[in-house]
Amino acid sequence: MVNSSDNRLKGYLGRFKNPLKRPPMGGITQRFARFAVVRKTYSLFKFAQQYYFSRFYSPALNAAETSVFSWHTLSQHTRNMHQAGVSLGLRLPENMVTEILDYALKTPCREPGYQRNFYISEVHNGHLADGHPVMRALVTASPGQTCPAIQQLLEDPFLLTIVHDYLHYHPTKISWHLTWSIASPLPHDVIRQTYPPVSFHYDIAGYNFMTAYFYITDVDENSGPHVMIQGSRTGKPFKMLISGGCQSDEAVMRYYGKEKELVITGSRGFGFVQDPSCFHKVIPPQTSHRLLLQIRYS
Ligand SMILES: [Fe+2]
């Protein structure tokens, strides 16, 4: 279970600076996992593999015995995931939110394409002291200095149960990302050029995958809400499926309709699970930075 900010800054990023160009141009995984049939086939393969070699998998997950979430909501979340590829309404305990926020405030951040580490407190009016405009800041993980609250969530049995129900297998890779989206005074078009996730896109993060998201700061319409298109994990138009990366709002709305769009707001501690092969984006924050914890299962 790893923090993947380094991988996001190196790895494929070294070959394709724009992460949204990685799905169409990336390696074998990126090329084929966009197809729902590939993801389903992989799930079947992993299910069979783990069924026949079950003694190797559950212990490796290191799941905790108790969860911070309410078990009585489990069936609702699993049902929502299968129906729409998203389920809202998770809630972190306040002490965990405080702990993760403190960790993010005290830990250096990095931005893809910018060499120097910096603290979020160094960002003023969307810029660092040297004039560099910051769109996002990935909280780095120092060896031996992990956040216990994040570690506890990685092992949470409630989340792992949702993941197993959705993917049909125990995830073999769990990574986390703690990311500030910066409130910037720059025009939307300028932000769009340097911060690709503000455009609709879908992720390819393995052969099959899903993600849990937690807002660590309050998020309203003006402070960086996550937006997704319900049910768009399958049935994408061929052109969008192949081009993968940035899709215009107009093209997405024309195909799916406004009624499928879900603008997700919530107070600090609010969480949701989503299949990131659904189209999604972040609306650039205007009034305050957004801190988002993502836990990715594949
Ligand atoms: Fe994404």
Side-chain angles (χ1 to χ4, degrees):
M1 299 173 184
V2 294
N3 172 285
S4 305
S5 61
D6 278 354
N7 293 339
R8 294 164 79 190
L9 290 159
K10 297 183 285 191
Y12 276 109
L13 198 57
R15 294 164 59 195
F16 308 116
K17 299 283 188 226
N18 180 340
L20 302 186
K21 287 185 177 170
R22 277 174 265 156
M25 299 173 72
I28 296 292
T29 299
Q30 278 78 3
R31 268 185 255 143
F32 293 108
R34 76 188 59 207
F35 300 108
V37 67
V38 172
R39 298 196 299 275
K40 281 182 184 164
T41 303
Y42 182 74
S43 276
L44 270 175
F45 167 75
K46 292 298 289 185
F47 172 82
Q49 187 186 46
Q50 294 184 1
Y51 181 80
Y52 289 108
F53 301 98
S54 59
R55 66 185 185 280
F56 295 117
Y57 288 97
S58 291
L61 269 176
N62 201 25
E65 288 186 6
T66 57
S67 171
V68 298
F69 305 104
S70 302
W71 284 100
H72 73 270
T73 61
L74 179 67
S75 60
Q76 179 193 330
H77 287 299
T78 56
R79 192 166 54 244
N80 292 345
M81 280 300 292
H82 287 293
Q83 284 175 352
V86 63
S87 186
L88 312 181
L90 297 173
R91 173 60 60 184
L92 289 182
E94 180 60 25
N95 64 318
M96 290 182 98
V97 178
T98 301
E99 193 178 325
I100 296 168
L101 179 59
D102 285 350
Y103 177 77
L105 293 171
K106 292 174 183 166
T107 305
C109 302
R110 301 180 72 182
E111 185 184 43
Y114 182 71
Q115 295 306 314
R116 190 175 69 81
N117 284 9
F118 57 90
Y119 291 92
I120 192 66
S121 59
E122 295 178 57
V123 180
H124 298 288
N125 198 27
H127 293 74
L128 292 168
D130 63 3
H132 174 74
V134 185
M135 305 296 160
R136 62 176 153 177
L138 315 181
V139 178
T140 60
S142 309
Q145 190 200 4
T146 54
C147 174
I150 294 176
Q151 188 61 38
Q152 186 179 346
L153 286 172
L154 296 176
E155 299 167 0
D156 190 280
F158 183 88
L159 294 176
L160 290 169
T161 302
I162 296 175
V163 172
H164 184 268
D165 180 86
Y166 187 67
L167 297 180
H168 302 296
Y169 62 89
H170 297 292
T172 51
K173 183 179 178 189
I174 302 175
S175 59
W176 59 274
H177 317 276
L178 190 55
T179 308
W180 293 98
S181 294
I182 305 298
S184 171
L186 295 176
H188 197 291
D189 285 349
V190 175
I191 296 174
R192 192 192 304 272
Q193 288 166 15
T194 49
Y195 188 16
V198 303
S199 296
F200 275 116
H201 64 283
Y202 63 86
D203 298 342
I204 299 177
Y207 285 102
N208 205 356
F209 40 85
M210 65 166 283
T211 304
Y213 303 77
F214 296 98
Y215 291 153
I216 308 302
T217 49
D218 292 334
V219 175
D220 63 18
E221 290 80 1
N222 298 312
S223 49
H226 182 94
V227 181
M228 63 89 59
I229 305 297
Q230 299 171 76
S232 57
R233 63 199 150 173
T234 57
K236 295 181 183 74
F238 188 70
K239 194 174 164 195
M240 287 187 185
L241 185 64
I242 294 303
S243 57
C246 302
Q247 304 291 338
S248 70
D249 289 1
E250 294 73 25
V252 171
M253 288 305 131
R254 201 180 312 124
Y255 185 77
Y256 290 102
K258 189 79 177 164
E259 67 278 8
K260 292 289 185 191
E261 184 186 52
L262 193 59
V263 179
I264 302 174
T265 57
S267 58
R268 49 181 258 153
F270 176 85
F272 56 99
V273 281
Q274 184 205 269
D275 181 338
S277 61
C278 293
F279 278 112
H280 61 277
K281 67 174 184 177
V282 53
I283 295 178
Q286 295 175 323
T287 52
S288 57
H289 307 329
R290 180 192 79 172
L291 181 60
L292 176 72
L293 172 66
Q294 295 180 63
I295 304 176
R296 181 179 289 164
Y297 307 86
S298 59

